[in-house]
Amino acid sequence: MIEYLLEPFAYEYMVKAIWVSALVGGVCAFLSCYMILKGWSLMGDALAHSIVPGVAFAYLLALPYAIGAFFAGILAAGGMAFVKQKTKLREDAVIGLVFTTFFAIGLVLVSINPMAVNIQAIILGNILAISDQDVQQVIIISLVVLSVLLLKWKDFLAVFFDEGHARSIGLPTSFLKIVFFTLLSAATVAALQTVGACLVIAMVVTPGATAYLLTDRFGVMVWIAITIGTLSSALGAYLSYFLNTNPGGFIVLIETALFLSAFLFAPKYGLISQKRAVNKHREAL
Amino acid sequence: MSQAFIHLENVGVVYPNGHHALEGVTADLSPGTICGLVGVNGAGKSTLFKSIMGFITPTSGKVEITGLPVKQALKKNMVSYVPQTEEVDWNFPVLVEDVVMMGRYGYMNFLRRPSQADKKAVDEALQRVGMQDYRKRQIGELSGGQKKRVFVARALAQGGKIILLDEPFTGVDIKTEDSLIALFRILAEEGRLMLVSTHNLGSVPGFCDTVMMVNKTLLAYGPVETTFTQDNLAAAFGGMLRHHQLMGDELHDDPDARGVTVLTDDERPLVLYGEQGGQKIVRTKETAGEGIGRHD
Ligand SMILES: Nc1ncnc2c1ncn2[C@@H]1O[C@H](COP(=O)(O)OP(=O)(O)OP(=O)(O)O)[C@@H](O)[C@H]1O
Ligand SMILES: [Mg+2]
């Protein structure tokens, strides 16, 4: 039995898939805490799709895919910010507009210029067959994003909570926001490899949403989210070996399962404890 | 000339849509005073605040804070801003003490690790606004008046010599308003400059030393006694005020010519009493709520 459970660790590609997923899951989870508080959840999805033409371009020019993806991401985020500032369109319309345009450019590029890049791999992720070069890119991205966040998480919180105040204490608010979206684009690129464009949104939303139900302190929320993101990504990749499935789907399902348990059983904001608190009050009357 | 904390010189703001929100505002505000900022909706009060805070750059003129450009003054933690309640997201997972601690970020190192001094400043600030029992509450779980207090505490923790408050009394009951006013008075006496925008005209004479009346430009600025007059109010508010006047013959049986004028913009009315043309402000501070402006 134990032998059977340890089987995946005998394969180098499985071990790699497990720890790379865990790393990416943790980084995305950190970002997710900000995303859900600002109502930017769809932004992650939009960025992931916008990245496709960047990847195509990078292959055309024989550059590392991460560079192309990254610039496309920044361009998309900047485009969204620009359109939103200059028009009175709502955020969802702006996001929809920009990301579908980018995604369409990507599709056109790929179809007029068939290339080695497998669009399916971008959309569904391909962590089990990730190349060593790609692993390197993912590690560098993750570590950079993680260290910036660890150093500056309080500044980001101050800016997102009350921008006016953040400015009044001399924080460079516009700069910090640009940095944040740069980090988000970078993390999305990394996540693309693991779970694919369609499921990136889950990685930058679900852990934060779960952690939000469990605490009233942002610092604690971040640690809970990172733990959830890391463990469920590792576990998802590990389990996918036995069921012979796409790890991305598994990772997201595990995260969803954790969210549901928090939703029901969280000590303060869970459905059950809230019911109980109200009932207790009724009985007391 | 006394040292001016805030120096406004011919400040004008035109928004990107071409709207002239403010023009030619010139004033010097000095330390140790509370200055009231009154005007109709859309008069440009918030716009003036935003110019002082550097959120928008005036299209003409300049703002100086203790002789420094706004940006540098902010870096030195000189100015604190208490926002209108709607500007903050109350669902953030931050506790009361976390919010107050944010006022100290400017003093902390790169990593924003609070020192003993920071913790002490937070304790003191919470104590002064009477919110120490609520320090572990999530900020959304407070009443309107308590939220205001927390943000005043954050301003105190920040230690700025200038505190800007945008409509701190909206949605606050009379009792809380009075206790906030008492706190503001003490803070001003300690040498701070408080700039407070409000629609409660009746409270202005009770707690402000000076008053700025705006409507797209600075209509009048000076000590409350001489500036906060019916004429200036009429100019600032046009026909926008609810206005009740009872003159001598309606009010008295004797030949006393003195009459009562009640002006109101929002909650607390302003009461003026005396002969036509020379009416004096009746301070309605503690009588508000029961009958207003008893005369003797
Ligand atoms: N971002 C903006 N873009 C364009 N015009 C604006 C903007 N903000 C405010 N205005 C306009 O500038 C004028 C002054 O607005 P401001 O918010 O300063 O008024 P206010 O005195 O604070 O009013 P209130 O009592 O309602 O708070 C208004 O006519 C408003 O429509
Ligand atoms: Mg305003």
Side-chain angles (χ1 to χ4, degrees), chain A residues 154-155 212 216-218 268, chain B residues 91 93 98 112 141 154:
Chain A
K154 283 187 176 173
D155 289 26
Y212 180 70
D216 276 339
R217 293 204 96 154
F218 190 78
K268 185 169 165 193
Chain B
N91 290 323
D98 298 334
R112 315 287 176 211
E141 299 167 352
R154 184 180 68 180

Side-chain angles (χ1 to χ4, degrees), chain A residues 22-147:
Chain A
L23 183 63
V24 173
V27 172
C28 289
F30 204 147
L31 289 165
S32 74
C33 295
Y34 297 98
M35 305 289 284
I36 65 136
L37 289 175
K38 293 302 283 182
W40 285 339
S41 307
L42 289 176
M43 194 88 86
D45 196 26
L47 281 178
H49 285 82
S50 310
I51 278 168
V52 176
V55 175
F57 258 120
Y59 272 96
L60 272 177
L61 303 174
L63 291 169
Y65 88 94
I67 293 183
F70 183 64
F71 278 105
I74 298 278
L75 213 61
M80 286 185 240
F82 183 75
V83 176
K84 179 149 188 283
Q85 201 183 16
K86 294 292 169 195
T87 67
K88 282 182 184 146
L89 286 172
R90 281 180 176 274
E91 202 145 77
D92 60 338
V94 177
I95 291 177
L97 204 80
V98 173
F99 104 69
T100 46
T101 309
F102 272 70
F103 192 60
I105 296 174
L107 284 183
V108 171
L109 269 181
V110 174
S111 51
I112 55 175
N113 197 335
M115 52 190 112
V117 51
N118 181 356
I119 199 92
Q120 188 116 11
I122 300 178
I123 294 173
L124 293 178
N126 194 13
I127 187 71
L128 296 179
I130 192 169
S131 74
D132 277 341
Q133 199 197 349
D134 286 354
V135 169
Q136 235 173 35
Q137 287 178 18
V138 170
I139 293 174
I140 294 172
I141 293 175
S142 303
L143 291 183
V144 170
V145 174
L146 203 59
S147 17

Side-chain angles (χ1 to χ4, degrees), chain B residues 30-92:
Chain B
S30 28
T33 56
I34 300 183
C35 178
L37 183 60
V38 298
V40 290
N41 289 134
K45 300 182 296 295
S46 298
T47 305
L48 187 60
F49 274 131
K50 287 178 192 155
S51 313
I52 296 175
M53 295 304 297
F55 298 171
I56 48 181
T57 316
T59 26
S60 65
K62 65 173 179 184
V63 180
E64 274 179 2
I65 293 167
T66 60
L68 299 171
V70 172
K71 255 219 167 96
Q72 283 181 38
L74 294 181
K75 282 241 160 67
K76 294 189 168 181
N77 277 302
M78 284 177 174
V79 194
S80 318
Y81 173 63
V82 179
Q84 274 183 281
T85 320
E86 312 83 66
E87 289 172 24
V88 173
D89 185 343
W90 300 104
N91 290 323
F92 261 63

Side-chain angles (χ1 to χ4, degrees), chain B residues 15-22 39-48 50 84 166-167 197 199 214 216:
Chain B
Y15 279 109
N17 62 0
H19 183 85
H20 287 254
L22 278 179
V40 290
N41 289 134
K45 300 182 296 295
S46 298
T47 305
L48 187 60
K50 287 178 192 155
Q84 274 183 281
D166 202 353
E167 301 192 18
S197 78
H199 287 284
V214 290
K216 305 232 158 86

